[in-house]
Amino acid sequence: MASIEWSSGRLRSVQDLTADIRLFEIERDGPFMPAAPGAHINVGVEIAGRPDTRSYSVVGADDDGLYRIAVKRVPQSRGGSAYMWSLAPGARMRVSAPRNHFPLSLGKGDYFLVAGGIGITPLYGMALALAETGARFRLAYAARTRADLAFADVLAARLGDRLSLHIAAEGERIDLAAEIDALPADAELYICGPLPMFEAARRHWQTRGRAPARFRFETFGSSGRYASEPFRVKIPRLGKDIVVPQNQSLLEALEDAGVEMISDCRRGECGLCTLPILETDGIVDHRDVFFSDRQKAAGGKICTCVSRVSGGEIVLDTPDRAG
């Protein structure tokens, strides 16, 4: 794992894109490092009086030396969005250099981009980059209402009929099965959206026998099937009995309790933070995209960075962790 290259920075300006999505323009001190489509920056935040880190996709071009991120204010969040929304222009910040776990491969045949809600942020820059190169692509963008759409006017002007909008409140859904069936065999799919959308797209992609390497994704890492609530986790091997608050991840609670955890993405994608489940009397709300549907149904492990327990406790093992 490469270490994060931190620097100080300043919040240049903010702009509300929707009622709960705000655009932040950030000027990072020191030499500027351009962000490729799909890249993100890490931002230092403060949650419940302690320093923490959040990752946000870089939105659009950065030719003027500014990083732009869009942050959705989430009432049930662990505090990162609330902190960001508390900042006023001029605020000093800790900002990392760009990193990219969701790179766009240019020069391929056809592309299908799928965005749900705030998942438009990495795909916005990808769509504009593909349009610049003259690539064959389409972007399907879903939101609850038209008022929830961010960047829709710019996208419509730049993409024309390569953009389709799908408004849930108007009974519109992306027909993922039909869209995937219509793609050429060598097409690539890029998706960022809530977990049910991701799982449906991956299921259709797999059942059609398409190459896994051509299915590219990034997740929110926080959208589960149940509302977040506090729960208790016990680790007999370490003699630990820990309460995980509603606004903290299981991984963070374990780290605070002195358990030596291993992690990287913290979005439920890499699987480094998984632990074996010994037993539970609650429902494991798997919010990761690391485990398959079969593995989740088996209930053998939990991805601690994003997944939670609803309506009960969980007992975990830590065979390779100290604490």
Side-chain angles (χ1 to χ4, degrees), residues 174-205:
I174 302 174
D175 189 342
L176 290 167
E179 293 281 4
I180 290 172
D181 284 345
L183 292 173
D186 62 348
E188 294 194 342
L189 185 150
Y190 292 74
I191 183 171
C192 185
L195 191 59
M197 171 186 280
F198 166 83
E199 290 179 334
R202 183 168 65 173
R203 184 169 56 253
H204 292 309
W205 192 265

PDB file of all heavy atoms in Angstrom, residues 174-205:
ATOM      1  N   ILE A 174     -33.117   2.499 -14.851  1.00  0.00           N
ATOM      2  CA  ILE A 174     -32.189   2.057 -15.897  1.00  0.00           C
ATOM      3  C   ILE A 174     -32.442   0.573 -16.125  1.00  0.00           C
ATOM      4  O   ILE A 174     -32.387  -0.223 -15.183  1.00  0.00           O
ATOM      5  CB  ILE A 174     -30.728   2.281 -15.475  1.00  0.00           C
ATOM      6  CG1 ILE A 174     -30.475   3.755 -15.147  1.00  0.00           C
ATOM      7  CG2 ILE A 174     -29.780   1.819 -16.584  1.00  0.00           C
ATOM      8  CD1 ILE A 174     -29.088   4.017 -14.571  1.00  0.00           C
ATOM      9  N   ASP A 175     -32.719   0.189 -17.340  1.00  0.00           N
ATOM     10  CA  ASP A 175     -32.918  -1.225 -17.672  1.00  0.00           C
ATOM     11  C   ASP A 175     -31.536  -1.844 -17.895  1.00  0.00           C
ATOM     12  O   ASP A 175     -31.050  -1.944 -19.032  1.00  0.00           O
ATOM     13  CB  ASP A 175     -33.797  -1.360 -18.920  1.00  0.00           C
ATOM     14  CG  ASP A 175     -34.213  -2.805 -19.174  1.00  0.00           C
ATOM     15  OD1 ASP A 175     -33.564  -3.718 -18.619  1.00  0.00           O
ATOM     16  OD2 ASP A 175     -35.174  -3.011 -19.938  1.00  0.00           O
ATOM     17  N   LEU A 176     -30.911  -2.235 -16.794  1.00  0.00           N
ATOM     18  CA  LEU A 176     -29.524  -2.682 -16.865  1.00  0.00           C
ATOM     19  C   LEU A 176     -29.379  -3.931 -17.727  1.00  0.00           C
ATOM     20  O   LEU A 176     -28.406  -4.066 -18.483  1.00  0.00           O
ATOM     21  CB  LEU A 176     -28.990  -2.939 -15.456  1.00  0.00           C
ATOM     22  CG  LEU A 176     -28.779  -1.676 -14.617  1.00  0.00           C
ATOM     23  CD1 LEU A 176     -28.570  -2.036 -13.151  1.00  0.00           C
ATOM     24  CD2 LEU A 176     -27.593  -0.880 -15.139  1.00  0.00           C
ATOM     25  N   ALA A 177     -30.326  -4.856 -17.615  1.00  0.00           N
ATOM     26  CA  ALA A 177     -30.238  -6.080 -18.404  1.00  0.00           C
ATOM     27  C   ALA A 177     -30.256  -5.767 -19.901  1.00  0.00           C
ATOM     28  O   ALA A 177     -29.426  -6.273 -20.670  1.00  0.00           O
ATOM     29  CB  ALA A 177     -31.386  -7.012 -18.037  1.00  0.00           C
ATOM     30  N   ALA A 178     -31.195  -4.918 -20.319  1.00  0.00           N
ATOM     31  CA  ALA A 178     -31.287  -4.584 -21.740  1.00  0.00           C
ATOM     32  C   ALA A 178     -30.070  -3.789 -22.205  1.00  0.00           C
ATOM     33  O   ALA A 178     -29.556  -3.997 -23.313  1.00  0.00           O
ATOM     34  CB  ALA A 178     -32.574  -3.788 -21.993  1.00  0.00           C
ATOM     35  N   GLU A 179     -29.615  -2.881 -21.368  1.00  0.00           N
ATOM     36  CA  GLU A 179     -28.454  -2.067 -21.734  1.00  0.00           C
ATOM     37  C   GLU A 179     -27.212  -2.941 -21.909  1.00  0.00           C
ATOM     38  O   GLU A 179     -26.437  -2.763 -22.848  1.00  0.00           O
ATOM     39  CB  GLU A 179     -28.200  -1.006 -20.653  1.00  0.00           C
ATOM     40  CG  GLU A 179     -29.295   0.054 -20.542  1.00  0.00           C
ATOM     41  CD  GLU A 179     -29.191   1.116 -21.621  1.00  0.00           C
ATOM     42  OE1 GLU A 179     -28.327   0.987 -22.498  1.00  0.00           O
ATOM     43  OE2 GLU A 179     -29.974   2.087 -21.573  1.00  0.00           O
ATOM     44  N   ILE A 180     -27.013  -3.868 -20.984  1.00  0.00           N
ATOM     45  CA  ILE A 180     -25.834  -4.735 -21.069  1.00  0.00           C
ATOM     46  C   ILE A 180     -25.947  -5.670 -22.265  1.00  0.00           C
ATOM     47  O   ILE A 180     -24.970  -5.923 -22.969  1.00  0.00           O
ATOM     48  CB  ILE A 180     -25.664  -5.503 -19.746  1.00  0.00           C
ATOM     49  CG1 ILE A 180     -25.234  -4.518 -18.640  1.00  0.00           C
ATOM     50  CG2 ILE A 180     -24.644  -6.641 -19.886  1.00  0.00           C
ATOM     51  CD1 ILE A 180     -25.217  -5.121 -17.246  1.00  0.00           C
ATOM     52  N   ASP A 181     -27.145  -6.168 -22.522  1.00  0.00           N
ATOM     53  CA  ASP A 181     -27.335  -7.047 -23.679  1.00  0.00           C
ATOM     54  C   ASP A 181     -27.004  -6.330 -24.984  1.00  0.00           C
ATOM     55  O   ASP A 181     -26.556  -6.960 -25.952  1.00  0.00           O
ATOM     56  CB  ASP A 181     -28.780  -7.543 -23.730  1.00  0.00           C
ATOM     57  CG  ASP A 181     -29.054  -8.640 -22.704  1.00  0.00           C
ATOM     58  OD1 ASP A 181     -28.071  -9.201 -22.172  1.00  0.00           O
ATOM     59  OD2 ASP A 181     -30.222  -8.899 -22.417  1.00  0.00           O
ATOM     60  N   ALA A 182     -27.235  -5.026 -25.015  1.00  0.00           N
ATOM     61  CA  ALA A 182     -27.035  -4.274 -26.257  1.00  0.00           C
ATOM     62  C   ALA A 182     -25.574  -3.896 -26.491  1.00  0.00           C
ATOM     63  O   ALA A 182     -25.230  -3.404 -27.578  1.00  0.00           O
ATOM     64  CB  ALA A 182     -27.890  -3.003 -26.224  1.00  0.00           C
ATOM     65  N   LEU A 183     -24.705  -4.128 -25.517  1.00  0.00           N
ATOM     66  CA  LEU A 183     -23.308  -3.713 -25.655  1.00  0.00           C
ATOM     67  C   LEU A 183     -22.528  -4.697 -26.528  1.00  0.00           C
ATOM     68  O   LEU A 183     -22.755  -5.911 -26.459  1.00  0.00           O
ATOM     69  CB  LEU A 183     -22.640  -3.650 -24.277  1.00  0.00           C
ATOM     70  CG  LEU A 183     -23.135  -2.560 -23.324  1.00  0.00           C
ATOM     71  CD1 LEU A 183     -22.488  -2.753 -21.950  1.00  0.00           C
ATOM     72  CD2 LEU A 183     -22.794  -1.177 -23.871  1.00  0.00           C
ATOM     73  N   PRO A 184     -21.576  -4.197 -27.324  1.00  0.00           N
ATOM     74  CA  PRO A 184     -20.670  -5.108 -28.036  1.00  0.00           C
ATOM     75  C   PRO A 184     -19.866  -5.950 -27.045  1.00  0.00           C
ATOM     76  O   PRO A 184     -19.722  -5.589 -25.868  1.00  0.00           O
ATOM     77  CB  PRO A 184     -19.755  -4.141 -28.807  1.00  0.00           C
ATOM     78  CG  PRO A 184     -20.508  -2.854 -28.881  1.00  0.00           C
ATOM     79  CD  PRO A 184     -21.328  -2.783 -27.635  1.00  0.00           C
ATOM     80  N   ALA A 185     -19.325  -7.046 -27.524  1.00  0.00           N
ATOM     81  CA  ALA A 185     -18.635  -7.983 -26.635  1.00  0.00           C
ATOM     82  C   ALA A 185     -17.431  -7.362 -25.940  1.00  0.00           C
ATOM     83  O   ALA A 185     -17.079  -7.743 -24.820  1.00  0.00           O
ATOM     84  CB  ALA A 185     -18.203  -9.217 -27.425  1.00  0.00           C
ATOM     85  N   ASP A 186     -16.768  -6.389 -26.596  1.00  0.00           N
ATOM     86  CA  ASP A 186     -15.556  -5.818 -26.015  1.00  0.00           C
ATOM     87  C   ASP A 186     -15.822  -4.526 -25.243  1.00  0.00           C
ATOM     88  O   ASP A 186     -14.890  -3.802 -24.884  1.00  0.00           O
ATOM     89  CB  ASP A 186     -14.525  -5.552 -27.106  1.00  0.00           C
ATOM     90  CG  ASP A 186     -15.017  -4.531 -28.137  1.00  0.00           C
ATOM     91  OD1 ASP A 186     -16.228  -4.211 -28.121  1.00  0.00           O
ATOM     92  OD2 ASP A 186     -14.187  -4.062 -28.942  1.00  0.00           O
ATOM     93  N   ALA A 187     -17.075  -4.217 -24.959  1.00  0.00           N
ATOM     94  CA  ALA A 187     -17.409  -2.974 -24.253  1.00  0.00           C
ATOM     95  C   ALA A 187     -16.985  -3.047 -22.789  1.00  0.00           C
ATOM     96  O   ALA A 187     -16.893  -4.119 -22.197  1.00  0.00           O
ATOM     97  CB  ALA A 187     -18.907  -2.711 -24.346  1.00  0.00           C
ATOM     98  N   GLU A 188     -16.742  -1.871 -22.216  1.00  0.00           N
ATOM     99  CA  GLU A 188     -16.428  -1.781 -20.800  1.00  0.00           C
ATOM    100  C   GLU A 188     -17.549  -1.034 -20.095  1.00  0.00           C
ATOM    101  O   GLU A 188     -18.118  -0.087 -20.641  1.00  0.00           O
ATOM    102  CB  GLU A 188     -15.100  -1.060 -20.586  1.00  0.00           C
ATOM    103  CG  GLU A 188     -13.912  -1.838 -21.135  1.00  0.00           C
ATOM    104  CD  GLU A 188     -12.584  -1.300 -20.641  1.00  0.00           C
ATOM    105  OE1 GLU A 188     -12.548  -0.148 -20.160  1.00  0.00           O
ATOM    106  OE2 GLU A 188     -11.587  -2.043 -20.725  1.00  0.00           O
ATOM    107  N   LEU A 189     -17.852  -1.466 -18.876  1.00  0.00           N
ATOM    108  CA  LEU A 189     -18.881  -0.816 -18.071  1.00  0.00           C
ATOM    109  C   LEU A 189     -18.225  -0.190 -16.844  1.00  0.00           C
ATOM    110  O   LEU A 189     -17.426  -0.844 -16.156  1.00  0.00           O
ATOM    111  CB  LEU A 189     -19.955  -1.815 -17.645  1.00  0.00           C
ATOM    112  CG  LEU A 189     -21.170  -1.275 -16.891  1.00  0.00           C
ATOM    113  CD1 LEU A 189     -22.403  -2.131 -17.177  1.00  0.00           C
ATOM    114  CD2 LEU A 189     -20.949  -1.223 -15.376  1.00  0.00           C
ATOM    115  N   TYR A 190     -18.550   1.051 -16.574  1.00  0.00           N
ATOM    116  CA  TYR A 190     -18.071   1.769 -15.390  1.00  0.00           C
ATOM    117  C   TYR A 190     -19.296   2.186 -14.581  1.00  0.00           C
ATOM    118  O   TYR A 190     -20.199   2.831 -15.126  1.00  0.00           O
ATOM    119  CB  TYR A 190     -17.261   3.001 -15.783  1.00  0.00           C
ATOM    120  CG  TYR A 190     -15.945   2.680 -16.436  1.00  0.00           C
ATOM    121  CD1 TYR A 190     -15.883   2.217 -17.755  1.00  0.00           C
ATOM    122  CD2 TYR A 190     -14.747   2.834 -15.748  1.00  0.00           C
ATOM    123  CE1 TYR A 190     -14.680   1.902 -18.350  1.00  0.00           C
ATOM    124  CE2 TYR A 190     -13.524   2.529 -16.340  1.00  0.00           C
ATOM    125  CZ  TYR A 190     -13.501   2.063 -17.641  1.00  0.00           C
ATOM    126  OH  TYR A 190     -12.302   1.747 -18.235  1.00  0.00           O
ATOM    127  N   ILE A 191     -19.315   1.845 -13.303  1.00  0.00           N
ATOM    128  CA  ILE A 191     -20.495   2.124 -12.485  1.00  0.00           C
ATOM    129  C   ILE A 191     -20.094   2.660 -11.119  1.00  0.00           C
ATOM    130  O   ILE A 191     -19.118   2.203 -10.511  1.00  0.00           O
ATOM    131  CB  ILE A 191     -21.365   0.846 -12.335  1.00  0.00           C
ATOM    132  CG1 ILE A 191     -22.631   1.138 -11.550  1.00  0.00           C
ATOM    133  CG2 ILE A 191     -20.581  -0.299 -11.710  1.00  0.00           C
ATOM    134  CD1 ILE A 191     -23.637  -0.005 -11.557  1.00  0.00           C
ATOM    135  N   CYS A 192     -20.845   3.635 -10.648  1.00  0.00           N
ATOM    136  CA  CYS A 192     -20.734   4.124  -9.278  1.00  0.00           C
ATOM    137  C   CYS A 192     -22.141   4.489  -8.819  1.00  0.00           C
ATOM    138  O   CYS A 192     -22.781   5.353  -9.425  1.00  0.00           O
ATOM    139  CB  CYS A 192     -19.799   5.329  -9.169  1.00  0.00           C
ATOM    140  SG  CYS A 192     -19.526   5.873  -7.459  1.00  0.00           S
ATOM    141  N   GLY A 193     -22.615   3.805  -7.804  1.00  0.00           N
ATOM    142  CA  GLY A 193     -23.969   4.054  -7.338  1.00  0.00           C
ATOM    143  C   GLY A 193     -24.244   3.259  -6.085  1.00  0.00           C
ATOM    144  O   GLY A 193     -23.349   2.597  -5.540  1.00  0.00           O
ATOM    145  N   PRO A 194     -25.475   3.272  -5.606  1.00  0.00           N
ATOM    146  CA  PRO A 194     -25.816   2.536  -4.380  1.00  0.00           C
ATOM    147  C   PRO A 194     -25.679   1.035  -4.577  1.00  0.00           C
ATOM    148  O   PRO A 194     -25.698   0.525  -5.704  1.00  0.00           O
ATOM    149  CB  PRO A 194     -27.269   2.937  -4.124  1.00  0.00           C
ATOM    150  CG  PRO A 194     -27.781   3.429  -5.431  1.00  0.00           C
ATOM    151  CD  PRO A 194     -26.604   4.012  -6.157  1.00  0.00           C
ATOM    152  N   LEU A 195     -25.563   0.321  -3.473  1.00  0.00           N
ATOM    153  CA  LEU A 195     -25.281  -1.112  -3.506  1.00  0.00           C
ATOM    154  C   LEU A 195     -26.282  -1.917  -4.330  1.00  0.00           C
ATOM    155  O   LEU A 195     -25.877  -2.772  -5.128  1.00  0.00           O
ATOM    156  CB  LEU A 195     -25.210  -1.647  -2.067  1.00  0.00           C
ATOM    157  CG  LEU A 195     -24.662  -3.055  -1.895  1.00  0.00           C
ATOM    158  CD1 LEU A 195     -23.249  -3.176  -2.446  1.00  0.00           C
ATOM    159  CD2 LEU A 195     -24.677  -3.436  -0.410  1.00  0.00           C
ATOM    160  N   PRO A 196     -27.600  -1.707  -4.201  1.00  0.00           N
ATOM    161  CA  PRO A 196     -28.530  -2.504  -5.028  1.00  0.00           C
ATOM    162  C   PRO A 196     -28.311  -2.314  -6.526  1.00  0.00           C
ATOM    163  O   PRO A 196     -28.417  -3.280  -7.297  1.00  0.00           O
ATOM    164  CB  PRO A 196     -29.910  -1.998  -4.590  1.00  0.00           C
ATOM    165  CG  PRO A 196     -29.700  -1.478  -3.205  1.00  0.00           C
ATOM    166  CD  PRO A 196     -28.335  -0.877  -3.223  1.00  0.00           C
ATOM    167  N   MET A 197     -28.004  -1.094  -6.945  1.00  0.00           N
ATOM    168  CA  MET A 197     -27.721  -0.853  -8.362  1.00  0.00           C
ATOM    169  C   MET A 197     -26.469  -1.604  -8.794  1.00  0.00           C
ATOM    170  O   MET A 197     -26.442  -2.256  -9.844  1.00  0.00           O
ATOM    171  CB  MET A 197     -27.548   0.644  -8.623  1.00  0.00           C
ATOM    172  CG  MET A 197     -27.027   0.971 -10.023  1.00  0.00           C
ATOM    173  SD  MET A 197     -26.660   2.712 -10.263  1.00  0.00           S
ATOM    174  CE  MET A 197     -28.325   3.341 -10.549  1.00  0.00           C
ATOM    175  N   PHE A 198     -25.427  -1.514  -7.961  1.00  0.00           N
ATOM    176  CA  PHE A 198     -24.179  -2.204  -8.278  1.00  0.00           C
ATOM    177  C   PHE A 198     -24.409  -3.714  -8.393  1.00  0.00           C
ATOM    178  O   PHE A 198     -23.940  -4.361  -9.338  1.00  0.00           O
ATOM    179  CB  PHE A 198     -23.123  -1.918  -7.212  1.00  0.00           C
ATOM    180  CG  PHE A 198     -21.952  -2.848  -7.280  1.00  0.00           C
ATOM    181  CD1 PHE A 198     -20.920  -2.611  -8.170  1.00  0.00           C
ATOM    182  CD2 PHE A 198     -21.895  -3.980  -6.480  1.00  0.00           C
ATOM    183  CE1 PHE A 198     -19.848  -3.493  -8.264  1.00  0.00           C
ATOM    184  CE2 PHE A 198     -20.832  -4.858  -6.563  1.00  0.00           C
ATOM    185  CZ  PHE A 198     -19.804  -4.614  -7.458  1.00  0.00           C
ATOM    186  N   GLU A 199     -25.110  -4.287  -7.400  1.00  0.00           N
ATOM    187  CA  GLU A 199     -25.315  -5.734  -7.398  1.00  0.00           C
ATOM    188  C   GLU A 199     -26.124  -6.185  -8.615  1.00  0.00           C
ATOM    189  O   GLU A 199     -25.858  -7.236  -9.190  1.00  0.00           O
ATOM    190  CB  GLU A 199     -26.000  -6.154  -6.100  1.00  0.00           C
ATOM    191  CG  GLU A 199     -25.088  -6.029  -4.885  1.00  0.00           C
ATOM    192  CD  GLU A 199     -25.781  -6.421  -3.604  1.00  0.00           C
ATOM    193  OE1 GLU A 199     -27.024  -6.312  -3.552  1.00  0.00           O
ATOM    194  OE2 GLU A 199     -25.080  -6.817  -2.664  1.00  0.00           O
ATOM    195  N   ALA A 200     -27.137  -5.387  -8.988  1.00  0.00           N
ATOM    196  CA  ALA A 200     -27.934  -5.754 -10.163  1.00  0.00           C
ATOM    197  C   ALA A 200     -27.087  -5.728 -11.426  1.00  0.00           C
ATOM    198  O   ALA A 200     -27.154  -6.633 -12.265  1.00  0.00           O
ATOM    199  CB  ALA A 200     -29.124  -4.804 -10.295  1.00  0.00           C
ATOM    200  N   ALA A 201     -26.258  -4.681 -11.571  1.00  0.00           N
ATOM    201  CA  ALA A 201     -25.403  -4.585 -12.755  1.00  0.00           C
ATOM    202  C   ALA A 201     -24.400  -5.728 -12.787  1.00  0.00           C
ATOM    203  O   ALA A 201     -24.185  -6.349 -13.840  1.00  0.00           O
ATOM    204  CB  ALA A 201     -24.691  -3.236 -12.774  1.00  0.00           C
ATOM    205  N   ARG A 202     -23.784  -6.022 -11.674  1.00  0.00           N
ATOM    206  CA  ARG A 202     -22.791  -7.109 -11.638  1.00  0.00           C
ATOM    207  C   ARG A 202     -23.445  -8.459 -11.943  1.00  0.00           C
ATOM    208  O   ARG A 202     -22.875  -9.287 -12.657  1.00  0.00           O
ATOM    209  CB  ARG A 202     -22.090  -7.164 -10.282  1.00  0.00           C
ATOM    210  CG  ARG A 202     -20.996  -8.241 -10.233  1.00  0.00           C
ATOM    211  CD  ARG A 202     -20.106  -8.133  -9.031  1.00  0.00           C
ATOM    212  NE  ARG A 202     -20.801  -8.372  -7.775  1.00  0.00           N
ATOM    213  CZ  ARG A 202     -20.173  -8.451  -6.602  1.00  0.00           C
ATOM    214  NH1 ARG A 202     -18.863  -8.266  -6.542  1.00  0.00           N
ATOM    215  NH2 ARG A 202     -20.855  -8.668  -5.497  1.00  0.00           N
ATOM    216  N   ARG A 203     -24.666  -8.655 -11.414  1.00  0.00           N
ATOM    217  CA  ARG A 203     -25.362  -9.916 -11.662  1.00  0.00           C
ATOM    218  C   ARG A 203     -25.658 -10.085 -13.158  1.00  0.00           C
ATOM    219  O   ARG A 203     -25.412 -11.146 -13.738  1.00  0.00           O
ATOM    220  CB  ARG A 203     -26.662  -9.959 -10.852  1.00  0.00           C
ATOM    221  CG  ARG A 203     -27.425 -11.276 -10.965  1.00  0.00           C
ATOM    222  CD  ARG A 203     -28.524 -11.336  -9.933  1.00  0.00           C
ATOM    223  NE  ARG A 203     -29.464 -10.216 -10.004  1.00  0.00           N
ATOM    224  CZ  ARG A 203     -29.533  -9.216  -9.139  1.00  0.00           C
ATOM    225  NH1 ARG A 203     -28.716  -9.188  -8.102  1.00  0.00           N
ATOM    226  NH2 ARG A 203     -30.417  -8.245  -9.290  1.00  0.00           N
ATOM    227  N   HIS A 204     -26.171  -9.024 -13.791  1.00  0.00           N
ATOM    228  CA  HIS A 204     -26.450  -9.097 -15.226  1.00  0.00           C
ATOM    229  C   HIS A 204     -25.160  -9.304 -16.019  1.00  0.00           C
ATOM    230  O   HIS A 204     -25.131 -10.060 -16.997  1.00  0.00           O
ATOM    231  CB  HIS A 204     -27.160  -7.830 -15.699  1.00  0.00           C
ATOM    232  CG  HIS A 204     -28.546  -7.677 -15.166  1.00  0.00           C
ATOM    233  ND1 HIS A 204     -29.493  -8.676 -15.242  1.00  0.00           N
ATOM    234  CD2 HIS A 204     -29.159  -6.640 -14.529  1.00  0.00           C
ATOM    235  CE1 HIS A 204     -30.622  -8.263 -14.683  1.00  0.00           C
ATOM    236  NE2 HIS A 204     -30.438  -7.031 -14.245  1.00  0.00           N
ATOM    237  N   TRP A 205     -24.115  -8.631 -15.611  1.00  0.00           N
ATOM    238  CA  TRP A 205     -22.828  -8.746 -16.316  1.00  0.00           C
ATOM    239  C   TRP A 205     -22.310 -10.181 -16.241  1.00  0.00           C
ATOM    240  O   TRP A 205     -21.859 -10.755 -17.239  1.00  0.00           O
ATOM    241  CB  TRP A 205     -21.826  -7.780 -15.692  1.00  0.00           C
ATOM    242  CG  TRP A 205     -20.570  -7.584 -16.477  1.00  0.00           C
ATOM    243  CD1 TRP A 205     -19.378  -8.233 -16.312  1.00  0.00           C
ATOM    244  CD2 TRP A 205     -20.373  -6.675 -17.572  1.00  0.00           C
ATOM    245  NE1 TRP A 205     -18.463  -7.782 -17.215  1.00  0.00           N
ATOM    246  CE2 TRP A 205     -19.033  -6.829 -18.006  1.00  0.00           C
ATOM    247  CE3 TRP A 205     -21.196  -5.752 -18.223  1.00  0.00           C
ATOM    248  CZ2 TRP A 205     -18.510  -6.079 -19.054  1.00  0.00           C
ATOM    249  CZ3 TRP A 205     -20.661  -5.009 -19.267  1.00  0.00           C
ATOM    250  CH2 TRP A 205     -19.345  -5.180 -19.677  1.00  0.00           C
TER     251      TRP A 205
END
